[in-house]
Amino acid sequence: MSAPGLVSLVGAGPGDPDLLTRRAAQRLAEADLVLYDALVSPATLALATRAQRFYVGKRCKNHAMAQETIHRLMVRAARRGCRVVRLKGGDPFVFGRGAEEALALQAAGVPFEVVPGVSSALAAPALAGIPVTHRGVAAAFTVVSGHDAATWQPIVDALRPGSSTLVVLMGLGSRAAIAAALQARGWAASTPCAVLLGASTPEAATWTGTLDRLGEAPIPEGAADAPGTLVVGEVVAVGDRLSGRTPSEEPAAVTAAGAARRHSWQR
Ligand SMILES: C[S@@+](CC[C@H](N)C(=O)[O-])C[C@H]1O[C@@H](n2cnc3c(N)ncnc32)[C@H](O)[C@@H]1O
């Protein structure tokens, strides 16, 4: 290969290839090597028609490859003149270790670029009709990782009740703890909440309810592995209105089909 190599840190968006940027699609089409993460959809990968593709992802505690090995692979391929796409779900700089990889490439003197993607922090709410800001309702939104209480707890504790929409990535497993922490901070039990699973994928499912019920929001059968985003704030009620989900004071009655009411799953 004669042209100098390049590593593109590419955001794949929430899953549906229609939500890729044009630049992301172009880099995939031109790539020699694609190193992809867990939440990248097969349909998106299929756009890399001429590339060798390697899964290097991590989900929960399952790491396909050590971070340093990923760095070495990218550096070695780029030095051989390859066009490398490092493909990450959503945006590469949102909870994706994209900047760590950029720093490693910079330290190795390898040319790289960042191709932003549509983060699930925005796409999952938007696809469920939920605006993260809305005039007179929410003037800010806060995005946290629910992976580790040591990181989300101080942020939740600092948020005045209702002062910001709260979006939680990697928070399905800690939804009860987050709901309890918010209520302890003074957020009303009736604050609208959403759990958004597999946004933009055929498995997409939406639950909306209230903060006091968030911890109990059951995950539908077959969706245990789906990625999920939580949204807490009055904007969820705006989403219910926009999407025709009818609020109900009834407790959760979950069906696969999802009756059209609050506290239920909808597909
Ligand atoms: C490691 S973080 C990476 C976030 C990614 N960089 C982004 O900007 O979307 C993975 C988390 O993103 C969220 N997520 C990713 N894809 C999603 C989807 N299609 N629907 C809902 N949430 C999603 C989930 O909270 C998942 O646990």
Side-chain angles (χ1 to χ4, degrees):
M1 271 167 229
S2 48
L6 173 71
V7 179
S8 303
L9 300 169
V10 175
D16 183 342
D18 281 359
L19 294 173
L20 283 173
T21 65
R22 290 173 62 164
R23 190 174 299 173
Q26 190 188 345
R27 294 298 185 270
L28 283 168
E30 293 168 354
D32 301 304
L33 173 67
V34 176
L35 304 175
Y36 64 98
D37 275 352
L39 297 176
V40 171
S41 69
T44 298
L45 263 187
L47 299 175
T49 46
R50 51 188 295 283
Q52 277 192 300
R53 309 167 200 165
F54 291 105
Y55 173 64
V56 298
K58 323 175 177 54
R59 279 214 77 188
C60 303
K61 293 192 168 64
N62 298 324
H63 291 203
M65 196 175 278
Q67 191 63 42
E68 294 68 31
T69 312
I70 298 173
H71 296 171
R72 266 203 307 278
L73 267 178
M74 291 192 294
V75 168
R76 205 183 306 153
R79 284 185 178 152
R80 285 204 313 268
C82 290
R83 280 163 296 187
V84 180
V85 166
R86 176 69 179 101
L87 191 58
K88 293 167 173 292
D91 181 88
F93 277 6
V94 176
F95 300 132
R97 304 185 80 162
E100 269 176 57
E101 297 181 5
L103 287 165
L105 294 165
Q106 186 185 50
V110 165
F112 69 92
E113 65 173 357
V114 179
V115 180
V118 182
S119 176
S120 54
L122 300 174
L127 290 167
I130 301 169
V132 289
T133 65
H134 184 54
R135 196 155 56 93
V137 176
F141 61 96
T142 304
V143 183
V144 298
S145 162
H147 178 65
D148 181 2
T151 58
W152 60 256
Q153 185 89 50
I155 298 163
V156 163
D157 288 348
L159 275 183
R160 194 168 48 76
S163 59
S164 165
T165 301
L166 180 64
V167 179
V168 186
L169 302 188
M170 295 175 276
L172 276 187
S174 44
R175 61 193 186 283
I178 292 170
L182 287 167
Q183 288 176 94
R185 173 71 180 91
W187 289 62
S190 59
T191 307
C193 302
V195 181
L196 311 167
L197 295 179
S200 88
T201 73
E203 291 75 42
T206 299
W207 175 95
T208 60
T210 47
L211 191 55
D212 56 343
R213 305 251 177 213
L214 177 62
E216 303 161 12
I219 305 302
E221 221 173 288
D225 282 340
T229 291
L230 313 178
V231 185
V232 181
E234 291 297 331
V235 289
V236 173
V238 179
D240 279 342
R241 253 188 20 235
L242 282 174
S243 306
R245 288 184 293 262
T246 313
S248 156
E249 295 311 312
E250 293 303 307
V254 179
T255 61
R261 61 187 169 188
R262 286 281 277 286
H263 304 307
S264 66
W265 285 98
Q266 324 233 323
R267 289 188 193 270

